[in-house]
Amino acid sequence: QVQLQESGPGLVKPSQTLSLTCTVSGGSIRSGGYFWNWLRQRPGQGLEYIGYIYYTGSTYYSPSLRSLVTISVDTSKNQFSLRLNSVTAADTAVYYCARGGESHRLSWYYFDFWGPGALVTVTS
Amino acid sequence: QSVLTQPPSVSAAPGQKVTISCSGSSSNIGSNFLSWYQQLPGTAPKLLIYETNKRPSGIPDRFSASKSGTSATLGITGLQTGDEADYYCGTWDSSLSAVVFGGGTKLTVL
């Protein structure tokens, strides 16, 4: 059973960079076959997709966040990370990492294993 | 404003059936696969349906889904109090080149 766990600071100041790491267990990012994703959920709101990374380092970012987001992978640690630049209060959210569907399938955009989520609050 | 439209809330009695709709357009639901998620209070979303109508291992057959044109429906039969949750639909939007979700539907089991 694949398990994911987010970690990182729970408080970030406005204009600074939000950084989170997702540690994967029960499965190897390096083995390929799946996209590894970040999503977020603002308080009381719905789900918002941020982007994914493949074990090769190939990435996709949501157009709405593309200029601010970087997702990276460390296969030696079985981790992938999110960096969101120039945050504002609107970036306050629970951030989830999740495994996507099989990468060779056109239907890859579903998420079958999720971390419990990490609340990040942007405040001065 | 979400790209996919869901009713804010639905309700039904225990043991009954409920349906949750998800409406979109030809660039998303009309041409791509759909997924559905259940989010219990204070927890991460859980995949209920993928590739429009397939259930992952461990999801009971009380949950089913279908699609017609630019709309999709999640059905839940034999409602239980434990089914009280928010439900989200999601898909790919070919025009936006983005993963999109509905705004979520809160299910109340009366």
PDB file of all heavy atoms in Angstrom, chain A residues 78-92:
ATOM      1  N   ASN A  78      13.221   9.029  -2.151  1.00  0.00           N
ATOM      2  CA  ASN A  78      11.817   8.708  -2.458  1.00  0.00           C
ATOM      3  C   ASN A  78      10.901   9.863  -2.037  1.00  0.00           C
ATOM      4  O   ASN A  78       9.868   9.665  -1.381  1.00  0.00           O
ATOM      5  CB  ASN A  78      11.369   7.406  -1.808  1.00  0.00           C
ATOM      6  CG  ASN A  78      10.453   6.593  -2.713  1.00  0.00           C
ATOM      7  OD1 ASN A  78      10.513   6.697  -3.940  1.00  0.00           O
ATOM      8  ND2 ASN A  78       9.594   5.801  -2.114  1.00  0.00           N
ATOM      9  N   GLN A  79      11.311  11.064  -2.401  1.00  0.00           N
ATOM     10  CA  GLN A  79      10.584  12.275  -2.049  1.00  0.00           C
ATOM     11  C   GLN A  79      10.392  13.158  -3.278  1.00  0.00           C
ATOM     12  O   GLN A  79      11.202  13.139  -4.198  1.00  0.00           O
ATOM     13  CB  GLN A  79      11.343  13.089  -0.986  1.00  0.00           C
ATOM     14  CG  GLN A  79      11.502  12.416   0.346  1.00  0.00           C
ATOM     15  CD  GLN A  79      12.361  13.231   1.298  1.00  0.00           C
ATOM     16  OE1 GLN A  79      13.216  14.013   0.882  1.00  0.00           O
ATOM     17  NE2 GLN A  79      12.131  13.054   2.593  1.00  0.00           N
ATOM     18  N   PHE A  80       9.352  13.957  -3.238  1.00  0.00           N
ATOM     19  CA  PHE A  80       9.209  15.040  -4.199  1.00  0.00           C
ATOM     20  C   PHE A  80       8.744  16.285  -3.439  1.00  0.00           C
ATOM     21  O   PHE A  80       8.172  16.181  -2.356  1.00  0.00           O
ATOM     22  CB  PHE A  80       8.291  14.679  -5.376  1.00  0.00           C
ATOM     23  CG  PHE A  80       6.862  14.358  -5.035  1.00  0.00           C
ATOM     24  CD1 PHE A  80       5.852  15.277  -5.310  1.00  0.00           C
ATOM     25  CD2 PHE A  80       6.510  13.138  -4.478  1.00  0.00           C
ATOM     26  CE1 PHE A  80       4.530  14.981  -5.039  1.00  0.00           C
ATOM     27  CE2 PHE A  80       5.195  12.830  -4.200  1.00  0.00           C
ATOM     28  CZ  PHE A  80       4.188  13.753  -4.472  1.00  0.00           C
ATOM     29  N   SER A  81       9.038  17.440  -4.011  1.00  0.00           N
ATOM     30  CA  SER A  81       8.873  18.688  -3.268  1.00  0.00           C
ATOM     31  C   SER A  81       8.155  19.743  -4.093  1.00  0.00           C
ATOM     32  O   SER A  81       8.167  19.721  -5.327  1.00  0.00           O
ATOM     33  CB  SER A  81      10.234  19.215  -2.822  1.00  0.00           C
ATOM     34  OG  SER A  81      10.874  18.298  -1.961  1.00  0.00           O
ATOM     35  N   LEU A  82       7.574  20.668  -3.369  1.00  0.00           N
ATOM     36  CA  LEU A  82       6.849  21.796  -3.943  1.00  0.00           C
ATOM     37  C   LEU A  82       7.457  23.089  -3.445  1.00  0.00           C
ATOM     38  O   LEU A  82       7.726  23.227  -2.243  1.00  0.00           O
ATOM     39  CB  LEU A  82       5.369  21.735  -3.526  1.00  0.00           C
ATOM     40  CG  LEU A  82       4.513  22.961  -3.835  1.00  0.00           C
ATOM     41  CD1 LEU A  82       4.267  23.071  -5.336  1.00  0.00           C
ATOM     42  CD2 LEU A  82       3.183  22.899  -3.077  1.00  0.00           C
ATOM     43  N   ARG A  83       7.671  24.022  -4.342  1.00  0.00           N
ATOM     44  CA  ARG A  83       8.045  25.375  -3.982  1.00  0.00           C
ATOM     45  C   ARG A  83       7.074  26.327  -4.660  1.00  0.00           C
ATOM     46  O   ARG A  83       6.842  26.233  -5.872  1.00  0.00           O
ATOM     47  CB  ARG A  83       9.477  25.695  -4.407  1.00  0.00           C
ATOM     48  CG  ARG A  83      10.553  25.004  -3.584  1.00  0.00           C
ATOM     49  CD  ARG A  83      11.938  25.266  -4.146  1.00  0.00           C
ATOM     50  NE  ARG A  83      12.266  26.675  -4.241  1.00  0.00           N
ATOM     51  CZ  ARG A  83      12.820  27.386  -3.251  1.00  0.00           C
ATOM     52  NH1 ARG A  83      13.090  26.811  -2.095  1.00  0.00           N
ATOM     53  NH2 ARG A  83      13.116  28.660  -3.428  1.00  0.00           N
ATOM     54  N   LEU A  84       6.502  27.217  -3.862  1.00  0.00           N
ATOM     55  CA  LEU A  84       5.571  28.214  -4.371  1.00  0.00           C
ATOM     56  C   LEU A  84       6.108  29.584  -3.968  1.00  0.00           C
ATOM     57  O   LEU A  84       6.223  29.887  -2.778  1.00  0.00           O
ATOM     58  CB  LEU A  84       4.171  27.993  -3.797  1.00  0.00           C
ATOM     59  CG  LEU A  84       3.076  28.974  -4.215  1.00  0.00           C
ATOM     60  CD1 LEU A  84       2.810  28.886  -5.712  1.00  0.00           C
ATOM     61  CD2 LEU A  84       1.783  28.701  -3.435  1.00  0.00           C
ATOM     62  N   ASN A  85       6.439  30.376  -4.967  1.00  0.00           N
ATOM     63  CA  ASN A  85       7.078  31.665  -4.719  1.00  0.00           C
ATOM     64  C   ASN A  85       6.078  32.781  -4.459  1.00  0.00           C
ATOM     65  O   ASN A  85       4.918  32.706  -4.859  1.00  0.00           O
ATOM     66  CB  ASN A  85       7.945  32.053  -5.918  1.00  0.00           C
ATOM     67  CG  ASN A  85       9.072  31.080  -6.157  1.00  0.00           C
ATOM     68  OD1 ASN A  85       9.648  30.528  -5.217  1.00  0.00           O
ATOM     69  ND2 ASN A  85       9.387  30.838  -7.418  1.00  0.00           N
ATOM     70  N   SER A  86       6.583  33.810  -3.813  1.00  0.00           N
ATOM     71  CA  SER A  86       5.839  35.074  -3.646  1.00  0.00           C
ATOM     72  C   SER A  86       4.423  34.843  -3.113  1.00  0.00           C
ATOM     73  O   SER A  86       3.445  35.324  -3.688  1.00  0.00           O
ATOM     74  CB  SER A  86       5.780  35.814  -4.989  1.00  0.00           C
ATOM     75  OG  SER A  86       7.065  36.022  -5.517  1.00  0.00           O
ATOM     76  N   VAL A  87       4.322  34.124  -2.020  1.00  0.00           N
ATOM     77  CA  VAL A  87       2.996  33.760  -1.515  1.00  0.00           C
ATOM     78  C   VAL A  87       2.253  34.961  -0.958  1.00  0.00           C
ATOM     79  O   VAL A  87       2.852  35.945  -0.502  1.00  0.00           O
ATOM     80  CB  VAL A  87       3.093  32.650  -0.451  1.00  0.00           C
ATOM     81  CG1 VAL A  87       3.674  31.377  -1.055  1.00  0.00           C
ATOM     82  CG2 VAL A  87       3.898  33.111   0.759  1.00  0.00           C
ATOM     83  N   THR A  88       0.939  34.861  -1.000  1.00  0.00           N
ATOM     84  CA  THR A  88       0.040  35.834  -0.391  1.00  0.00           C
ATOM     85  C   THR A  88      -0.936  35.082   0.499  1.00  0.00           C
ATOM     86  O   THR A  88      -0.926  33.853   0.551  1.00  0.00           O
ATOM     87  CB  THR A  88      -0.736  36.622  -1.461  1.00  0.00           C
ATOM     88  OG1 THR A  88      -1.680  35.732  -2.081  1.00  0.00           O
ATOM     89  CG2 THR A  88       0.197  37.194  -2.522  1.00  0.00           C
ATOM     90  N   ALA A  89      -1.807  35.825   1.159  1.00  0.00           N
ATOM     91  CA  ALA A  89      -2.800  35.191   2.030  1.00  0.00           C
ATOM     92  C   ALA A  89      -3.675  34.214   1.246  1.00  0.00           C
ATOM     93  O   ALA A  89      -4.182  33.240   1.808  1.00  0.00           O
ATOM     94  CB  ALA A  89      -3.661  36.257   2.693  1.00  0.00           C
ATOM     95  N   ALA A  90      -3.846  34.453  -0.032  1.00  0.00           N
ATOM     96  CA  ALA A  90      -4.665  33.575  -0.867  1.00  0.00           C
ATOM     97  C   ALA A  90      -4.047  32.188  -1.047  1.00  0.00           C
ATOM     98  O   ALA A  90      -4.712  31.270  -1.522  1.00  0.00           O
ATOM     99  CB  ALA A  90      -4.896  34.203  -2.235  1.00  0.00           C
ATOM    100  N   ASP A  91      -2.786  32.041  -0.685  1.00  0.00           N
ATOM    101  CA  ASP A  91      -2.131  30.739  -0.779  1.00  0.00           C
ATOM    102  C   ASP A  91      -2.270  29.930   0.506  1.00  0.00           C
ATOM    103  O   ASP A  91      -1.763  28.804   0.592  1.00  0.00           O
ATOM    104  CB  ASP A  91      -0.653  30.918  -1.132  1.00  0.00           C
ATOM    105  CG  ASP A  91      -0.465  31.536  -2.505  1.00  0.00           C
ATOM    106  OD1 ASP A  91      -1.050  30.996  -3.470  1.00  0.00           O
ATOM    107  OD2 ASP A  91       0.230  32.561  -2.615  1.00  0.00           O
ATOM    108  N   THR A  92      -2.943  30.493   1.509  1.00  0.00           N
ATOM    109  CA  THR A  92      -3.253  29.735   2.720  1.00  0.00           C
ATOM    110  C   THR A  92      -4.178  28.584   2.356  1.00  0.00           C
ATOM    111  O   THR A  92      -5.254  28.797   1.785  1.00  0.00           O
ATOM    112  CB  THR A  92      -3.924  30.630   3.765  1.00  0.00           C
ATOM    113  OG1 THR A  92      -2.983  31.599   4.220  1.00  0.00           O
ATOM    114  CG2 THR A  92      -4.426  29.808   4.949  1.00  0.00           C
TER     115      THR A  92
END
